[in-house]
Amino acid sequence: DMGAIFRLLSKHGISQMRIATAAGLGQNRVSLISRDKQVVTTLTLLARIADGLRMPDHARISLGIAPRQAARRSAVPEATPGDEAAELLRQISSARYVDASVIQVLQGETDAIRMLDRRLGAPAVAVKLEAHIAQVQASLRHSLSPQRREHLAQILADAAALAGWQAIDMGRLPAAWTHFELATAAAREARNDALLAFAAGEQAYVLLDLGQPAHALEKVQAVHAHARDAIPAQLRCWLYAAEAEMAAAARQQDDCRAALDLAAHEISRPQAVVLPYLALDTAHLARWRGNCLIQFGDTATISDLTTALAGMDGTFTRAEAGLRCDLAAALHATGERNEARQHLKRATELAQLTGSARQRRRITTLAQRIGTAA
């Protein structure tokens, strides 16, 4: 009786949104299950809920799902101390072969996964990225060269931050937080201020999706204050834009507009450094501005959003879904509901293509508003 479990969680202060986020479900579906309007019957969905709620093994067994601990124990045979020492020596010896060419290949793999993520969405490459992170971690853990460790730590920070964003997009917020913790720790070892600020700034989005916009805003501001003088202008622009988004969610319109103005100032500076993990230009900033200001009913952002759509690189499939969702909201606010529905329809197609749970939640909420108004 999953409805009873959801009601018990709600009784103890766990919101339906948090349940939905953890289990990778829509909030509406959680509501239906909680009210016994829907029944969970498939093992696939039971397993997803059990994983998301971190059910203990005895609870998983009662649902007919394999226990996690038993699966892990059966998969790995018990090793003797001698075997373990030999394996450690093998891994240390293997790490010696990680030279400049291997490091270049590892960074290239991160960049390739990032490109696939933008086009195809997180579910298409999440497993590949997890394996890549594990490989880089193993090389870093057993490397003896301080210089190689810095290079490997930089790759790890980049890849883990990407995995964190993917987890946010798939609605797996606890996993996202863990990935960002790994990314910030690796960036510190790499002594890379830009990557550290980027990963820490992205982590604020976990707080935002947990319904804590004020804390998210506070975190971004703290990151920016700490790193402002040590990072390139493009990253300062990104942090100001993120700050504007958090301020918009916290309903602080003046702070939102001030941050957007500062972001526009930073993007106008010459960009001397190329950051592969950061895609931000005037078109992307226009999209960001529209996303923020439409939350205050500012329909003048239609111009920003239309400009952004015209200038957007077609490889940013997930970003286009969000942009069209924002444009639909703005057009709906001006009464242009037919055009709003067209953009929302295309946003739905793109969100389904990329498997973006985050965008699907936004689309569902907006579709309900437009449908009700119609």
Side-chain angles (χ1 to χ4, degrees), residues 211-279:
Q212 303 293 318
H215 289 151
L217 176 59
E218 182 180 354
K219 181 171 177 60
V220 170
Q221 289 172 333
V223 169
H224 205 169
H226 178 73
R228 183 176 289 111
D229 297 331
I231 58 177
Q234 188 184 22
L235 186 53
R236 287 198 298 272
C237 173
W238 183 87
L239 284 169
Y240 278 130
E243 182 179 334
E245 186 172 352
M246 308 306 173
R251 312 306 299 168
Q252 298 179 21
Q253 183 170 179
D254 291 343
D255 290 342
C256 173
R257 290 182 180 276
L260 287 171
D261 289 343
L262 290 168
H265 176 71
E266 293 293 348
I267 202 68
S268 67
R269 295 172 180 266
Q271 305 300 319
V273 180
V274 176
L275 303 174
Y277 48 86
L278 189 61

Side-chain angles (χ1 to χ4, degrees), residues 160-175:
L162 176 58
W165 188 255
Q166 285 189 342
I168 288 176
D169 192 55
M170 292 186 288
R172 301 171 182 171
L173 300 185

Side-chain angles (χ1 to χ4, degrees), residues 8-303:
L8 184 63
L9 290 171
S10 297
K11 179 180 177 182
H12 288 274
I14 308 299
S15 69
Q16 288 186 355
M17 178 57 76
R18 286 186 65 190
I19 296 171
T21 298
L25 301 172
Q27 185 179 1
N28 184 54
R29 191 168 187 185
V30 171
S31 175
L32 290 172
I33 294 170
S34 297
R35 291 183 287 118
D36 295 328
K37 299 295 185 182
Q38 278 190 10
V39 179
V40 179
T41 58
T42 67
L43 282 175
T44 300
L45 184 53
L46 285 171
R48 195 163 83 193
I49 294 171
D51 290 343
L53 300 182
R54 297 185 180 181
M55 289 186 179
D57 283 347
H58 68 271
R60 296 174 67 89
I61 292 170
S62 73
L63 292 174
I65 303 168
R68 284 183 167 184
Q69 293 299 326
R72 281 199 288 267
R73 282 196 296 269
S74 63
V76 182
E78 188 173 346
T80 66
D83 291 338
E84 292 173 349
E87 175 61 16
L88 175 59
L89 182 59
R90 185 197 68 77
Q91 290 175 326
I92 292 172
S93 298
S94 178
R96 293 195 183 103
Y97 291 96
V98 178
D99 58 12
S101 62
V102 173
I103 287 170
Q104 186 176 6
V105 169
L106 291 172
Q107 181 60 58
E109 187 168 352
T110 303
D111 294 337
I113 293 172
R114 185 176 7 256
M115 183 271 289
L116 291 173
D117 170 67
R118 288 170 179 169
R119 291 193 180 196
L120 305 179
V125 292
V127 174
K128 182 179 179 65
L129 181 56
E130 291 282 359
H132 176 54
I133 288 172
Q135 181 182 21
V136 177
Q137 276 186 296
S139 297
L140 173 60
R141 189 180 302 118
H142 299 101
S143 179
L144 305 180
S145 164
Q147 184 179 17
R148 280 198 295 268
R149 287 186 68 90
E150 279 194 18
H151 288 306
L152 287 166
Q154 181 169 314
I155 295 169
L156 179 59
D158 185 4
L162 176 58
W165 188 255
Q166 285 189 342
I168 288 176
D169 192 55
M170 292 186 288
R172 301 171 182 171
L173 300 185
W177 190 269
T178 300
H179 282 307
F180 288 130
E181 285 294 301
L182 174 61
T184 53
R188 288 190 184 96
E189 179 162 1
R191 296 190 289 186
N192 189 312
D193 292 325
L195 261 172
L196 178 58
F198 179 68
E202 279 200 315
Q203 192 172 31
Y205 280 90
V206 179
L207 297 171
L208 184 64
D209 280 19
L210 285 170
Q212 303 293 318
H215 289 151
L217 176 59
E218 182 180 354
K219 181 171 177 60
V220 170
Q221 289 172 333
V223 169
H224 205 169
H226 178 73
R228 183 176 289 111
D229 297 331
I231 58 177
Q234 188 184 22
L235 186 53
R236 287 198 298 272
C237 173
W238 183 87
L239 284 169
Y240 278 130
E243 182 179 334
E245 186 172 352
M246 308 306 173
R251 312 306 299 168
Q252 298 179 21
Q253 183 170 179
D254 291 343
D255 290 342
C256 173
R257 290 182 180 276
L260 287 171
D261 289 343
L262 290 168
H265 176 71
E266 293 293 348
I267 202 68
S268 67
R269 295 172 180 266
Q271 305 300 319
V273 180
V274 176
L275 303 174
Y277 48 86
L278 189 61
L280 183 61
D281 55 21
T282 53
H284 283 283
L285 187 57
R287 173 179 64 85
W288 223 330
R289 181 180 180 84
N291 171 267
C292 293
L293 297 184
I294 192 57
Q295 297 185 53
F296 301 109
D298 186 347
T299 55
T301 59
I302 291 176
S303 175

